[in-house]
């Protein structure tokens, strides 16, 4: 009887451990069900965009492609439809770049997304698109699993001489407080994904520079 009781206790503990492990696993069905994805229309130019709901946030599921004369351009010639546009920070600072009821995400909002997708070390793999990411060496894994339909394509900063290896997305977060930085030397964070990594990192770029970056808007 004592042995049977011990066996029952062991089985109960193992069963609980198994359930706990399963409960702790990341699941796209829970985080970003396909029923919470769809499309919307940018009232300014009539362009339709895909969106995806990830956790408590709603993100554009493709890069913004709203033309701003002199302040935006295509990464590839005549290829804005697929990869969206690049924008200068000077136009972002003026506001109103994203569609109505959407805005340029802050660094904190990106961090919420990253944590929802499993953290900095795994999130990139789940956000990257299924195609276009180039391996550094033949046979290496490079594309993502695109679990939530975010479909992050490899769109680097403007001026890059290599394509297919990284992606850079704007944030609205200033690197330093206005009291610490002169207006001409303001820096803003951007989010970076790379072909040979599951991770998501951050860096920064000078706002008054000529470099342009891709943009994913998030719902207000």
């Amino acid at each position: 009887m004592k042995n049977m009781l011990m066996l029952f206790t062991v089985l109960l503990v193992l069963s609980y451990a198994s359930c706990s492990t399963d409960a702790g696993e990341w699941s796209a069905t829970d985080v970003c069900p396909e029923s919470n994805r769809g499309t919307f229309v940018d009232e300014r130019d009539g362009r339709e965009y895909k969106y995806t709901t990830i956790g408590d946030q709603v993100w554009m599921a493709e890069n913004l492609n709203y033309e701003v004369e002199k302040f935006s351009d295509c990464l590839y010639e005549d290829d804005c439809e697929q990869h969206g546009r690049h924008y200068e920070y000077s136009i972002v600072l003026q506001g109103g770049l994203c569609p109505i009821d959407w805005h340029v995400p802050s660094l904190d909002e990106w961090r919420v997304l990253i944590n929802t997708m499993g953290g900095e070390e795994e999130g990139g793999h789940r956000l990257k698109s299924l195609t276009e990411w180039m391996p550094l060496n033949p046979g290496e894994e490079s594309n993502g699993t695109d679990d939530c339909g975010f479909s992050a394509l490899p769109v680097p900063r403007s001026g890059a001489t290599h394509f297919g290896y990284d992606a850079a997305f704007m944030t609205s977060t200033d690197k330093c407080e206005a009291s610490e930085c002169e207006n001409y030397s303001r820096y803003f964070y951007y989010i970076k994904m790379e072909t040979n990594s599951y991770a998501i990192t951050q860096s920064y770029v000078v706002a008054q520079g000529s470099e342009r970056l891709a943009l994913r808007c998030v719902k207000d």
Side-chain angles (χ1 to χ4, degrees), residues 75-76 132-134 154-166:
L75 173 64
Y76 310 99
E132 295 198 26
W133 291 85
M134 301 292 292
V155 181
R157 292 156 59 182
S158 64
T161 57
H162 55 281
F163 306 111
Y165 297 96
D166 61 345

Side-chain angles (χ1 to χ4, degrees), residues 135-214:
L136 292 180
N137 300 294
E140 288 184 345
E141 184 177 14
S142 56
N143 292 312
T145 53
D146 198 19
D147 296 274
C148 290
F150 190 84
S151 302
L153 293 168
V155 181
R157 292 156 59 182
S158 64
T161 57
H162 55 281
F163 306 111
Y165 297 96
D166 61 345
F169 298 100
M170 286 180 158
T171 82
S172 62
T173 301
D174 205 326
K175 181 176 179 289
C176 55
E177 298 295 333
S179 60
E180 299 175 356
C181 289
E182 298 293 336
N183 186 55
Y184 64 84
S185 62
R186 292 179 68 184
Y187 289 83
F188 281 77
Y189 286 105
Y190 69 89
I191 297 298
K192 186 175 182 180
M193 302 179 194
E194 297 179 280
T195 191
N196 62 331
S197 175
Y198 288 178
I200 299 176
T201 57
Q202 65 188 46
S203 188
Y204 51 87
V205 62
V206 62
Q208 279 66 36
S210 59
E211 285 189 285
R212 302 179 177 187
L213 290 85

Side-chain angles (χ1 to χ4, degrees), residues 40-86:
F40 74 97
V41 174
D42 186 344
E43 298 177 9
R44 300 170 298 179
D45 59 8
R47 188 177 302 280
E48 185 177 81
Y49 291 97
K50 297 176 183 178
Y51 71 83
T52 178
T53 305
I54 303 176
D56 295 327
Q57 297 175 311
V58 180
W59 287 83
M60 288 176 56
E62 51 191 305
N63 295 346
L64 183 67
N65 184 16
Y66 178 66
E67 184 175 4
V68 182
E69 189 176 355
K70 298 181 180 181
F71 295 99
S72 70
D73 56 19
C74 305
L75 173 64
Y76 310 99
E77 186 176 358
D78 299 324
D79 192 37
C80 286
E81 292 295 331
Q82 177 68 13
H83 297 91
R85 289 180 175 270
H86 275 83

